[in-house]
Amino acid sequence: METKWVKKLTLPVLAMLFIYYASRSEDPAARNLVNTMSEQTSQEQIVYSSEEYYAVYALHESDNLVKTYVKKGEESNPIQAIFEILTTKSNQLPVGTTSLVSPTATLNDYHLENGVLTLNVSPEFLDYTADEEQDLLSSLVWTYTELVDVDKVKFEIDGEPVSNLNGTLPVSRGLDRSMGINLELDTTNFDETQLVTLYFVTDDSKDGLLVPVTRLIPASTDPVTYAVSALIQGPVNQNYVSVFDQETTLLSDPVISDGLVSLNFSSELYYDSQQTKVSSTMLKQLVMTLTELDDIEMVSVSINGNIKVMDEVDHSIAVPTSRFDFESLIEAQ
């Protein structure tokens, strides 16, 4: 639970240190980057603060769970409000998405202690098939763990603890993000494995929704290199896409230091024929994917060693970027 707060506190400090040392550098490229960053902060953007939104994982018409944002009302209880969005107020979800939770289910009460959220729900909550359980519970767990104080979710039916709900998934100890979402397997050996969650998109338009996909991979595999390679190769499911050019390569091994991973890509990463811009969706895929890993908080990108590269909304890709940079400010549609 403390990790989420530590990231929020340290990321601005790390960014300021980056600017400080780059500004004192004799390297003209580094100093030019600082000037560009200063210009970026003065540009006006129409944005909504994420404090005005709930992040909700809902079922997309492509039959995958996607990350959506629902505007908050005047309610003061986010746990109750989220449950209502997934039940009686599911019409607030974006077009093309829906909730798997029965609209007749009610939240009797809840208990939150030491990061564990216990939801006491009515028996109508069990109105789903065993085949739907993984997605339904992933939707709830990933949505509630977006809240700063929630790390794990447990369930009760009319006040009674349960070991199973409507399927075989054990829930007595609670569920967290390690349960995965939109599960895929990339190994046949289940003894020594690790989880990596990749972020694809429903389509390559600016309105494309993020599709988190959890893969089970061998424990011996480097998760950073695997994740980058998987984003470049694209999904195995045709219901979502990756905006990376499949000819893109890493020119050197990822460098990880104090929560920052630095990546140097080939020129195929460029978004335009003039080789001046990259896709902001690509950067979002990369940052959201890598910051799901425990030891990574920010991502810095260069192309052929060039740090003077922007995405199409004029964000410098060399500036250390966190998932909070994407989630603290949501561009108005």
Side-chain angles (χ1 to χ4, degrees):
M1 182 167 59
E2 294 179 356
T3 303
K4 298 178 184 177
W5 287 108
V6 169
K7 286 188 177 182
K8 284 189 175 181
L9 291 172
T10 59
L11 293 177
V13 175
L14 289 170
M16 286 189 292
L17 287 174
F18 179 85
I19 296 173
Y20 173 77
Y21 286 111
S23 65
R24 298 173 69 88
S25 171
E26 298 299 323
D27 183 0
R31 296 185 63 84
N32 182 272
L33 176 60
V34 173
N35 293 334
T36 302
M37 290 168 60
S38 300
E39 292 172 3
Q40 282 183 219
T41 58
S42 64
Q43 293 177 353
E44 292 186 3
Q45 282 186 304
I46 301 176
V47 295
Y48 292 133
S49 167
S50 65
E51 294 180 357
E52 299 177 357
Y53 287 82
Y54 294 117
V56 179
Y57 291 81
L59 187 68
H60 189 256
E61 56 192 4
S62 63
D63 203 30
N64 301 287
L65 292 173
V66 297
K67 186 171 187 176
T68 69
Y69 294 93
V70 177
K71 191 171 179 62
K72 295 180 180 179
E74 297 181 357
E75 69 281 341
S76 59
N77 187 334
I79 294 173
Q80 179 69 44
I82 288 172
F83 197 86
E84 291 177 356
I85 291 170
L86 291 171
T87 53
T88 57
K89 297 181 180 179
S90 61
N91 61 318
Q92 295 182 14
L93 293 170
V95 174
T97 65
T98 187
S99 172
L100 286 168
V101 184
S102 170
T104 62
T106 59
L107 179 62
N108 298 326
D109 55 48
Y110 67 89
H111 180 65
L112 178 60
E113 183 176 7
N114 296 327
V116 179
L117 172 64
T118 302
L119 300 175
N120 176 17
V121 296
S122 67
E124 289 80 9
F125 179 80
L126 300 176
D127 186 17
Y128 62 86
T129 67
D131 290 341
E132 295 173 325
E133 182 167 85
Q134 179 73 39
D135 282 344
L136 183 147
L137 295 181
S138 293
S139 169
L140 278 165
V141 170
W142 279 66
T143 296
Y144 277 115
T145 53
E146 287 281 340
L147 301 177
V148 171
D149 296 329
V150 180
D151 298 318
K152 181 181 289 188
V153 180
K154 299 180 72 174
F155 299 89
E156 294 178 352
I157 303 296
D158 277 349
E160 295 296 326
V162 290
S163 56
N164 297 94
L165 292 168
N166 211 21
T168 59
L169 194 65
V171 298
S172 59
R173 295 184 179 181
L175 300 171
D176 57 24
R177 289 197 169 208
S178 65
M179 72 178 297
I181 187 169
N182 295 321
L183 288 171
E184 294 180 354
L185 302 182
D186 206 9
T187 179
T188 56
N189 179 6
F190 299 100
D191 294 330
E192 297 181 0
T193 59
Q194 60 181 318
L195 294 174
V196 173
T197 297
L198 311 168
Y199 280 80
F200 297 107
V201 285
T202 52
D203 59 76
D204 59 5
S205 72
K206 69 180 183 66
D207 298 321
L209 298 172
L210 287 169
V211 184
V213 175
T214 300
R215 289 185 183 173
L216 192 65
I217 67 172
S220 58
T221 301
D222 174 58
V224 175
T225 303
Y226 176 89
V228 173
S229 176
L231 291 178
I232 292 172
Q233 293 174 11
V236 297
N237 189 322
Q238 296 182 352
N239 291 335
Y240 38 87
V241 302
S242 178
V243 299
F244 280 78
D245 186 316
Q246 291 187 329
E247 299 299 317
T248 306
T249 59
L250 274 175
L251 299 181
S252 55
D253 292 336
V255 177
I256 303 175
S257 177
D258 296 328
L260 171 66
V261 59
S262 300
L263 304 168
N264 183 26
F265 287 96
S266 64
S267 59
E268 285 80 11
L269 195 70
Y270 284 113
Y271 185 70
D272 61 341
S273 57
Q274 291 78 30
Q275 296 194 346
T276 58
K277 301 283 186 180
V278 300
S279 164
S280 59
T281 301
M282 175 280 301
L283 188 62
K284 182 184 294 186
Q285 280 188 254
L286 194 62
V287 171
M288 295 296 288
T289 294
L290 294 180
T291 56
E292 281 284 353
L293 300 174
D294 290 338
D295 298 329
I296 296 179
E297 299 174 353
M298 294 190 294
V299 180
S300 175
V301 177
S302 61
I303 301 178
N304 289 323
N306 181 15
I307 62 174
K308 297 186 294 182
V309 180
M310 304 289 174
D311 65 15
E312 76 262 34
V313 294
D314 292 330
H315 172 87
S316 171
I317 65 173
V319 175
T321 304
S322 75
R323 69 191 300 111
F324 296 108
D325 292 322
F326 287 113
E327 296 184 330
S328 62
L329 291 176
I330 305 167
E331 291 189 27
Q333 299 297 320

